[in-house]
Structure formats: structure tokens, C-alpha cells
């Protein structure tokens, strides 16, 4: 009899444990979620400028999702707004930022034309719809990077899964009950650590050299012409800032010019009596910090040997006009020579090159153009660009809008022809019209396939300097390419200094969960709990009897009463 009671007691205890475990699972599952999808997302940049915070200051995210439009009285402090760029209302963005209204977070959806996978070059005809998106995104980007935003902001690209989630969210919102813990809906979760400062970010300058041909009676150093382009970028999302035009086009043009002149300089009979110095510099968006360090690293003889420098900046999306920006007046002998050479060749190629003179202010730390760093050291220099006026700080530096789709390959080809032919005529003294050193269909012709392939590489490679390691594959690829065409290639590594401080955490995975409402969960809990109670009662009755079931709920007399 005793073993039987012990067995029954053991079964009862096991049943109670099972019931308790199931109840705990149900209680914990009040917000039980079904994973809908996982999305790659890219965080808005976080940085300080002169100690003032800008950009998104948070990375982790755990809120319900909603979409536009919404009620003006809605509380969005615990809501992530999912906003496609095509539906963006700039007034909403300006209002929320200006009035510092609380938000749980923002997720902007970008069209696929801004993604790495979009490798199609720009068509010759102008697409007003795409240009409108370009303008909207450019305005949004400038607002975001110049504002301190106390909530997470991410970017993602449209695809079938993302669009499906957005459609469901809009349907839920249309019922007049935005997603909350009570009503259910979708929840967006990004598990990311608190962003940390990037300590001592490295910038790397890459230098190549083609030595000119010296005659026996030339004891002095040959004159030097420098061709320079800054290769790094800055944008609202560091993980997406590829800068196809600014300044991918300048980098591609420099590499092609180096390739063309390497063909001439490889043969002593066609080597010019000018040294050619090629510089790929970093820190361009930050007052051309790398260019300044590169120039200060020159020895005095090299610096004094430079006749002039041509800096390339944004030459991939122009139609009929280019601009040559200079700091010295056009009457200067070297400046006059540059303008005459470039204008003459441009006229033959069927477009115009316009001079633009802007005197620099030495006391102003702002450096608008790369050539100004040369001018500050009294080296004659000019910047060739499609831009008529200098951009503001952190403007047009290869952000979200600067993707492969908006770059015209033919514009870069024409720019390379202009640069190579102008330099070639100056180096070899072959002035006059209809003289082509780099003629089409010759061994010295510009190679559009080479330009296109390198432009594709640059358009898939984010290049925000603080997030590029000193031995980054892209930096090593540029070094190897210069080694194929020039001599004495070396790297100069420096620490980015100045007024900027950057923070890590630039990309993440967004987990999208479909959440049942609390009402549904409570109903499920009630039904399941009732079932378990009935099951428990049945087990007790069948094993111990109905009296034992009642005894579980009967209050036992206190010890004091028992003693009495």
C-alpha cells in the first residue's frame, strides 16, 4: 500500500511541475513573436565636430513599427517609422527634427538604383523621376548629418520582403490602431552595442612616380607635374558612401592617365623631360587633411620642382562644361599656361573649360578645394571639376545619392582625354590644333573598359576614411594598380586630426517580428490555463480521489490551533 501511495504522490508532483512549466511558458509568451525576416540595415553616421554631437546617437532598436501617414496626436516615442524615399514628406522630417519631437526610430527605404548591385551606367536621356529622387535624398542627407538626433536611424534597400512588411504595416495602420504592445503588429529589433569612439583613425596616401628623361648636360632636377585625386568619401551612412562621382571619377581618371603616360615613359625615346607625380590622397572631406600631410612630407627639392599640380574632383556627371578652379590670378604664367592648354584641347573635343579664380584666406581653416593645400605652400595648382562653385563642408563628398547609376562613363572618358592630351602637349611641346598624342584607335587611346571596370569597383566600395583600416583591401588594390603603371610607389600613413571625432557601429541586422496582440495572448493564456487546470484536476481525482483535490485548496489549521 505504501509503495502505491508513494508512486501516486510522485505522479502528482510531476504533474504539478509540468503544469507550472507550461504556465510559465505561456506567461512569458505574452509577446510571443514569429520572425518575419532579417534585413541588412545601415546606420546614420555618428560624429562630433569641435565637440558638438551630430548624427544618430543610438544604435540598438526594439520598438513596434508604423508608417506614414499617422494621426497628429499619435505618440511615436515607442514607434519606428518605416518610410520609403518615394513617399518621403520633407515637411514631416523638418518638423520632427526642428521641434525635437520624440521618436522611437526611423527606417528609410532606398530604391535599388542607390544600391551596390545597380551597376548600370546613366542613360543619355534625363529621367526626371530619378533626378527627383536624387534631389530629395540629397536634401534629406544634409539635414540628417547636420543634426543631433537622439534616436536610432537606419537605411535599407527596397526588396520584395521589405515591401511586403511595409504593405502589412500600412494595412494595420489603416485600421486606426497603430502597432503597440496592446494591438500587436510588427516589431523591429536591432541588437547593437553602444557605439564607441574610433580611436586615432588612420588615413593613407598613395604616391607613384614616373621619372622624366634627363640629358647629360642637365645637372639640375627636372620639373615635375603632379596629378592628384582624393579617394575617400563621407555620407549619411558610412557603410553606403561609395562616391561614384565624388570622387570615384577623379580616382579612375588619375589611374587611366597614369596608365597612358606609363606607355610613353616606358620607352626612353618617348619619355618626356618632366617628372610625373601621382597622388591618391585621403581625408578629402575633412579639409583635405591627407593632402596637407602628404605635401608637408615632401623634401624641399621636390616641392620646389613642381611646376604645377592638377587636382581632379567630380568629373563624372557633366554635360557641356568643366571648370578649372585656381587660387592664383589667371595672369600668373603657370596658371595662364594651364588654362590655355586645357581650353585649346577642350575646344577640339567639343566642350568648354571655364576658369574660376578664388583667392584663398590663409587665416581660414576651411579648405574648399584640394588645390588650396598646394597654394598654401606657394605651389601652383588647379582643380578640374564639374562644379561651378565650391561645396560647403561635408557637402557633395560621396554620400548616399552618389551612386553608380548617376555617373556618365562617357563624361569620364572625355575628361581623361582632356587631361592626358593637355599634359602631353605641354610635356612634349607640341602646341597647336589637330595634334593628337592620345588619338582614338591608337595604342595610346583612352580605354573605356578600363575606366568602366574601375568605376564599378569604386561604386561597390565604401570609403569613409575613419572606417578604412591601414591595410584595407581597397587601399592595397590602389597601391598595386599604381605599381603596375608607375615607379617608387609608397604609402604614407597618418592619423586623421582636426575637429572630427567618429563613432563605430555602421551596419547591422534588423530582425522583423510579427507580434500577436496582448488581447489574443491573454485569450490564449486563459484557454490554455483552463485546459491545464481541468487536466490537473482530472489527474488528481483519478490518482488520489476527489477529497485530495479539495484538500489542496482547504486551509490547514495553524500550529497554534493544533496545540490548543
Amino acid at each position: 500500500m505504501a509503495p502505491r501511495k508513494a508512486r501516486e504522490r510522485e505522479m502528482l508532483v510531476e504533474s504539478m511541475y509540468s503544469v507550472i512549466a507550461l504556465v510559465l511558458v505561456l506567461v512569458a509568451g505574452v509577446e510571443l513573436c514569429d520572425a518575419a525576416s532579417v534585413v541588412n540595415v545601415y546606420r546614420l553616421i555618428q560624429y562630433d565636430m569641435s565637440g558638438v554631437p551630430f548624427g544618430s546617437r543610438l544604435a540598438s532598436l526594439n520598438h513596434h513599427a508604423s508608417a506614414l501617414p499617422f494621426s497628429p496626436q499619435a505618440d511615436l516615442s515607442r514607434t519606428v517609422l518605416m518610410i520609403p524615399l518615394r513617399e518621403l514628406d520633407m515637411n514631416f522630417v523638418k518638423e520632427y527634427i526642428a521641434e525635437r519631437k520624440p521618436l522611437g526610430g526611423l527606417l528609410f527605404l532606398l530604391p535599388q538604383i542607390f544600391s551596390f548591385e545597380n551597376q548600370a551606367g546613366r542613360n543619355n536621356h534625363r529621367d526626371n523621376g530619378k533626378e527627383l529622387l536624387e534631389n530629395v535624398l540629397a536634401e534629406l542627407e544634409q539635414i540628417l548629418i547636420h543634426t543631433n538626433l537622439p534616436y536610432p536611424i537606419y537605411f535599407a534597400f527596397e526588396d520584395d520582403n521589405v515591401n511586403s512588411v511595409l504593405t502589412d504595416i500600412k494595412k494595420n495602420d489603416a485600421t486606426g490602431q497603430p502597432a503597440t504592445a496592446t494591438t500587436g503588429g510588427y516589431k523591429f529589433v536591432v541588437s547593437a552595442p553602444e557605439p564607441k569612439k574610433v580611436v586615432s583613425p588612420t588615413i593613407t596616401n598613395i604616391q607613384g612616380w614616373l621619372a622624366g628623361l634627363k640629358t647629360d648636360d642637365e645637372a639640375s632636377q627636372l620639373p615635375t607635374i603632379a596629378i592628384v585625386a582624393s579617394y575617400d568619401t563621407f555620407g549619411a551612412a558610412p557603410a553606403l558612401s561609395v562616391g561614384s562621382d565624388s570622387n570615384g571619377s577623379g580616382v579612375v581618371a588619375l589611374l587611366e592617365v597614369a596608365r597612358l603616360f606609363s606607355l610613353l615613359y616606358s620607352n626612353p625615346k618617348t619619355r618626356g623631360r618632366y617628372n610625373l607625380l601621382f597622388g591618391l590622397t585621403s581625408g578629402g572631406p575633412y579639409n583635405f587633411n591627407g593632402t596637407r600631410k602628404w605635401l608637408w612630407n615632401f623634401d624641399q627639392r621636390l616641392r620646389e620642382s613642381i611646376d604645377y599640380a592638377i587636382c581632379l574632383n567630380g568629373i563624372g556627371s557633366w554635360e557641356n562644361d568643366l571648370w578649372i578652379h585656381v587660387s592664383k590670378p589667371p595672369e600668373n604664367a603657370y596658371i595662364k599656361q594651364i588654362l590655355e592648354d586645357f581650353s585649346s584641347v577642350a575646344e577640339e573635343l567639343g566642350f568648354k573649360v571655364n576658369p574660376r579664380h578664388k583667392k584663398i584666406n590663409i587665416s581660414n581653416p576651411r579648405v574648399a578645394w584640394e588645390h588650396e593645400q598646394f597654394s598654401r605652400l606657394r605651389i601652383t595648382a588647379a582643380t578640374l571639376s564639374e562644379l561651378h562653385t565650391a561645396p560647403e563642408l561635408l557637402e557633395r563628398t560621396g554620400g548616399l545619392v552618389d551612386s553608380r547609376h548617376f555617373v556618365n562613363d562617357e563624361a569620364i572618358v572625355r575628361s581623361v582625354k582632356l587631361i592626358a592630351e593637355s599634359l602631353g602637349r605641354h610635356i612634349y611641346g607640341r602646341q597647336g590644333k589637330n595634334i593628337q598624342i592620345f588619338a582614338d584607335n591608337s595604342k595610346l587611346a583612352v580605354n573605356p573598359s578600363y575606366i568602366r571596370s574601375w568605376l564599378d569597383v569604386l561604386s561597390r566600395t565604401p570609403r569613409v576614411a575613419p572606417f578604412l583600416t591601414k591595410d584595407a583591401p581597397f587601399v592595397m588594390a590602389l597601391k598595386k594598380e599604381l605599381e603596375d603603371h608607375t615607379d617608387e610607389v609608397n604609402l604614407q600613413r597618418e592619423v586623421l586630426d582636426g575637429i572630427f571625432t567618429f563613432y563605430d557601429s555602421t551596419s547591422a541586422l534588423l530582425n522583423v517580428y510579427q507580434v500577436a496582440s496582448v488581447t489574443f495572448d491573454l485569450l490564449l493564456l486563459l484557454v490554455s490555463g483552463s485546459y491545464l487546470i481541468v487536466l490537473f484536476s482530472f489527474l488528481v481525482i483519478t490518482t488520489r480521489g476527489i477529497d485530495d483535490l479539495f484538500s489542496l485548496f482547504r486551509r490547514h489549521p495553524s500550529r497554534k490551533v493544533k496545540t490548543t
Side-chain angles (χ1 to χ4, degrees):
M1 192 71 178
R4 180 181 176 185
K5 287 187 175 182
R7 177 58 182 164
E8 290 176 351
R9 188 180 300 108
E10 183 179 342
M11 291 177 60
L12 177 61
V13 171
E14 290 178 354
S15 301
M16 291 178 65
Y17 284 151
S18 300
V19 170
I20 293 171
L22 288 171
V23 170
L24 289 175
V25 169
L26 287 170
V27 171
V30 168
E31 272 196 346
L32 200 60
C33 306
D34 293 326
S37 60
V38 178
V39 181
N40 290 311
V41 291
Y42 310 91
R43 192 168 78 99
L44 176 67
I45 194 166
Q46 178 180 350
Y47 69 102
D48 301 337
M49 186 165 60
S50 298
V52 180
F54 291 99
S56 175
R57 312 309 293 185
L58 294 176
S60 61
L61 193 65
N62 190 350
H63 294 307
H64 285 79
S66 188
L68 296 178
F70 56 87
S71 170
Q73 291 78 33
D75 179 12
L76 302 179
S77 59
R78 301 285 297 172
T79 301
V80 181
L81 283 180
M82 192 178 191
I83 307 176
L85 183 67
R86 304 178 192 276
E87 303 174 10
L88 181 62
D89 181 357
M90 290 303 300
N91 292 327
F92 156 77
V93 175
K94 293 176 181 177
E95 175 188 352
Y96 259 76
I97 289 177
E99 299 183 12
R100 302 188 66 82
K101 293 185 177 181
L103 271 174
L106 285 170
L107 175 63
F108 292 104
L109 302 182
L110 305 179
Q112 282 291 333
I113 59 173
F114 297 104
S115 70
F116 300 153
E117 288 73 22
N118 187 274
Q119 294 299 320
R122 187 174 70 175
N123 297 325
N124 291 327
H125 69 277
R126 304 184 70 85
D127 189 324
N128 293 330
K130 291 175 182 176
E131 289 191 1
L132 180 61
L133 286 177
E134 183 181 9
N135 295 334
V136 170
L137 183 55
E139 183 180 2
L140 173 66
E141 185 165 25
Q142 287 302 302
I143 292 174
L144 295 178
I145 66 176
H146 288 104
T147 308
N148 177 8
L149 299 159
Y151 40 80
I153 297 181
Y154 283 95
F155 299 90
F157 291 107
E158 296 175 342
D159 60 26
D160 292 341
N161 290 333
V162 171
N163 291 338
S164 176
V165 170
L166 177 62
T167 300
D168 286 348
I169 290 174
K170 287 184 175 181
K171 287 180 180 177
N172 293 341
D173 290 351
T175 63
Q177 292 183 328
T180 63
T182 304
T183 61
Y186 282 88
K187 174 170 275 193
F188 288 174
V189 178
V190 174
S191 300
E194 181 181 354
K196 297 179 181 179
K197 290 182 180 180
V198 178
V199 180
S200 302
T202 302
I203 54 176
T204 304
N205 298 317
I206 312 169
Q207 174 183 303
W209 181 265
L210 284 177
L213 182 65
K214 240 183 183 183
T215 59
D216 295 336
D217 58 345
E218 286 180 320
S220 61
Q221 185 172 352
L222 289 176
T224 301
I225 296 176
I227 302 96
V228 187
S230 177
Y231 66 81
D232 61 335
T233 60
F234 177 92
L240 298 178
S241 298
V242 297
S244 297
D245 187 15
S246 181
N247 190 31
S249 60
V251 172
V252 171
L254 182 144
L255 293 176
E256 175 64 350
V257 170
R259 187 190 70 83
L260 292 173
F261 276 97
S262 70
L263 299 175
L264 289 171
Y265 274 57
S266 62
N267 187 341
K269 294 182 180 180
T270 56
R271 190 184 306 169
R273 290 219 286 264
Y274 274 84
N275 300 318
L276 294 180
L277 175 64
F278 296 90
L280 290 167
T281 60
S282 185
Y286 324 111
N287 287 325
F288 298 98
N289 189 260
T291 307
R292 180 177 65 83
K293 292 177 178 290
W294 180 54
L295 293 176
W296 277 106
N297 196 50
F298 288 173
D299 61 55
Q300 188 66 23
R301 290 186 62 204
L302 174 57
R303 199 179 299 165
E304 292 177 351
S305 76
I306 299 177
D307 267 13
Y308 61 82
I310 297 294
C311 304
L312 312 177
N313 190 333
I315 51 175
S317 60
W318 58 280
E319 300 291 341
N320 300 310
D321 291 89
L322 280 171
W323 297 85
I324 290 187
H325 299 269
V326 295
S327 300
K328 294 183 177 180
E331 294 76 21
N332 176 278
Y334 286 116
I335 296 296
K336 185 177 181 180
Q337 185 67 57
I338 295 172
L339 295 177
E340 288 179 354
D341 289 342
F342 276 75
S343 297
S344 174
V345 174
E347 184 180 351
E348 294 176 26
L349 294 174
F351 56 89
K352 290 182 64 178
V353 171
N354 307 291
R356 184 80 171 172
H357 173 228
K358 173 183 168 291
K359 189 176 180 179
I360 63 172
N361 182 1
I362 299 297
S363 62
N364 185 357
R366 169 77 176 110
V367 178
W369 297 108
E370 189 166 16
H371 75 266
E372 293 181 8
Q373 291 289 16
F374 288 83
S375 299
R376 288 168 183 256
L377 295 176
R378 302 186 183 279
I379 301 173
T380 302
T383 294
L384 183 69
S385 176
E386 66 208 9
L387 300 178
H388 173 261
T389 56
E392 297 296 327
L393 182 64
L394 303 182
E395 182 186 13
R396 298 185 70 101
T397 49
L400 293 172
V401 76
D402 194 352
S403 67
R404 178 71 174 89
H405 184 84
F406 296 98
V407 177
N408 188 342
D409 299 3
E410 181 56 32
I412 302 179
V413 171
R414 290 193 294 165
S415 299
V416 171
K417 287 182 180 179
L418 170 67
I419 299 162
E421 196 67 37
S422 300
L423 294 179
R425 293 185 188 185
H426 180 75
I427 291 170
Y428 296 102
R430 300 186 64 179
Q431 307 300 328
K433 293 185 176 182
N434 301 320
I435 298 175
Q436 292 191 41
I437 299 174
F438 301 95
D440 293 340
N441 302 318
S442 71
K443 292 182 179 180
L444 295 176
V446 176
N447 187 344
S449 297
Y450 179 85
I451 290 173
R452 191 178 304 111
S453 62
W454 263 103
L455 192 58
D456 289 344
V457 170
L458 287 156
S459 299
R460 293 193 298 267
T461 309
R463 304 186 303 282
V464 177
F467 306 104
L468 280 176
T469 62
K470 63 180 182 180
D471 294 321
F474 173 75
V475 175
M476 294 298 102
L478 286 181
K479 177 177 180 286
K480 182 181 183 304
E481 193 64 24
L482 270 188
E483 286 175 337
D484 290 343
H485 305 310
T486 64
D487 305 315
E488 302 177 31
V489 175
N490 60 71
L491 303 179
Q492 178 198 5
R493 294 188 174 97
E494 300 283 351
V495 174
L496 177 66
D497 56 22
I499 61 177
F500 292 92
T501 302
F502 295 89
Y503 295 79
D504 60 10
S505 186
T506 60
S507 61
L509 290 177
L510 169 67
N511 293 283
V512 181
Y513 295 103
Q514 194 164 11
V515 185
S517 69
V518 170
T519 304
F520 172 80
D521 289 328
L522 290 176
L523 179 62
L524 177 63
L525 179 63
L526 179 62
V527 172
S528 302
S530 301
Y531 167 76
L532 291 173
I533 291 173
V534 171
L535 176 62
F536 176 72
S537 301
F538 174 77
L539 291 174
V540 173
I541 292 172
T542 55
T543 58
R544 300 287 301 276
I546 192 169
D547 290 337
D548 284 347
L549 176 64
F550 289 146
S551 67
L552 292 175
F553 303 98
R554 185 182 302 128
R555 182 178 179 182
H556 296 283
S558 66
R559 183 175 300 176
K560 184 176 180 180
V561 173
K562 287 182 178 180
T563 303
T564 302

